[in-house]
Amino acid sequence: MTVQEPGTMVTENCRIDLDPRAKKYQKELLTILIHKPIAYVSGQPEKQYQPAVSLITRKNQFRSASETKPVKIRWPIKGLAPAGRLDIDSTGLLVLTQDGRIAKKLISPDSEIEKEYLVRVHREVRPNEIEQLTFGMRLDGVQLARAQIDLLDENYFRMVLTEGRKRQIRRMCDKVSLEVTGLKRVRIGNIRLGSLPVGKWRLLRGNESF
């Protein structure tokens, strides 16, 4: 029996096999990692600002020296959606994907995928402020999960979150009177920004996963 209706219920005794054609289709779905520059939006265009997807061109593709077998790409690439957001005034790693499974893994409400950021603020960070940022913050009436913070310099720190509320880091810092002057996302799960240049993109490799 072939089931084509999404959400069809089955019993626990049923054996489910994926059509070989569907497996082939899934393997062809692209996931792209882009180093988003400041002044680009993650999703739909806003006023005079361009979406990050507009940077996905042949010219902007980045390939490392270790890539010996390039993936064949059908241009133009369609159906890419941001799996998470990155503020217009922030830079760093942004994921665009055709694969709904990856999008769900990264942005579902119960996702616990870590996102790592480098944050620079306008003045020295005090020990009590680090403690406040780490524990006990509330945004939008919701208790935030514990953050991991490592001070790198007097006004520069690494922050790891498992949440992704709108402008979360900037709003957290605002609560302790810290003005964010620079914000860069450098890791999502197991994937690091690494040496990917600003404005360039690369494909998620077959041996990589979040």
Side-chain angles (χ1 to χ4, degrees):
M1 174 181 176
T2 301
V3 177
Q4 297 180 332
E5 185 66 27
T8 299
M9 301 295 290
V10 298
T11 68
E12 62 181 14
N13 297 322
C14 286
R15 172 181 166 180
I16 301 174
D17 294 311
L18 191 63
D19 189 300
R21 290 170 297 179
K23 291 181 180 179
K24 182 176 183 295
Y25 171 76
Q26 287 183 337
K27 288 181 180 179
E28 293 174 350
L29 296 176
L30 299 179
T31 294
I32 284 175
L33 313 174
I34 185 168
H35 189 158
K36 188 190 87 66
I38 291 172
Y40 281 79
V41 294
S42 301
Q44 296 297 319
E46 296 178 13
K47 299 179 182 177
Q48 71 271 34
Y49 299 111
Q50 294 187 69
V53 71
S54 67
L55 293 168
I56 310 301
T57 64
R58 291 183 177 90
K59 180 181 177 181
N60 284 341
Q61 186 175 7
F62 176 78
R63 293 189 182 92
S64 68
S66 61
E67 290 183 74
T68 57
K69 189 178 179 181
V71 174
K72 187 176 181 180
I73 298 174
R74 296 177 183 176
W75 294 92
I77 304 174
K78 298 180 179 180
L80 286 171
R85 53 180 176 254
L86 194 57
D87 298 337
I88 192 169
D89 41 6
S90 301
T91 185
L93 183 59
L94 179 68
V95 178
L96 303 172
T97 186
Q98 297 173 330
D99 193 333
R101 297 167 301 171
I102 288 179
K104 182 179 180 181
K105 184 174 183 179
L106 296 184
I107 65 177
S108 66
D110 57 350
S111 173
E112 295 186 354
I113 298 289
E114 290 185 346
K115 289 91 174 176
E116 180 179 337
Y117 302 82
L118 298 179
V119 187
R120 189 174 294 280
V121 293
H122 75 298
R123 62 164 173 80
E124 180 180 354
V125 184
R126 304 183 183 101
N128 68 302
E129 292 166 342
I130 293 177
E131 185 174 355
Q132 285 179 271
L133 290 168
T134 303
F135 308 96
M137 281 272 180
R138 293 181 67 87
L139 287 180
D140 306 319
V142 176
Q143 184 74 38
L144 299 179
R146 175 176 176 169
Q148 177 186 327
I149 298 178
D150 300 302
L151 196 61
L152 304 175
D153 201 348
E154 61 179 20
N155 68 331
Y156 188 52
F157 57 91
R158 178 188 297 111
M159 178 181 280
V160 179
L161 303 176
T162 55
E163 298 168 299
R165 295 186 173 274
K166 188 175 182 180
R167 299 182 71 82
Q168 179 170 337
I169 292 176
R170 295 178 189 275
R171 293 166 67 198
M172 289 173 70
C173 288
D174 186 60
K175 279 180 170 286
V176 292
S177 300
L178 290 172
E179 179 187 347
V180 174
T181 58
L183 181 59
K184 181 178 184 179
R185 184 160 62 201
V186 295
R187 178 173 65 87
I188 300 176
N190 298 314
I191 305 300
R192 292 192 171 275
L193 182 64
S195 59
L196 185 62
V198 176
K200 300 292 185 179
W201 64 273
R202 73 171 180 85
L203 292 171
L204 182 72
R205 304 183 188 104
N207 63 345
E208 294 179 316
S209 66
F210 293 98

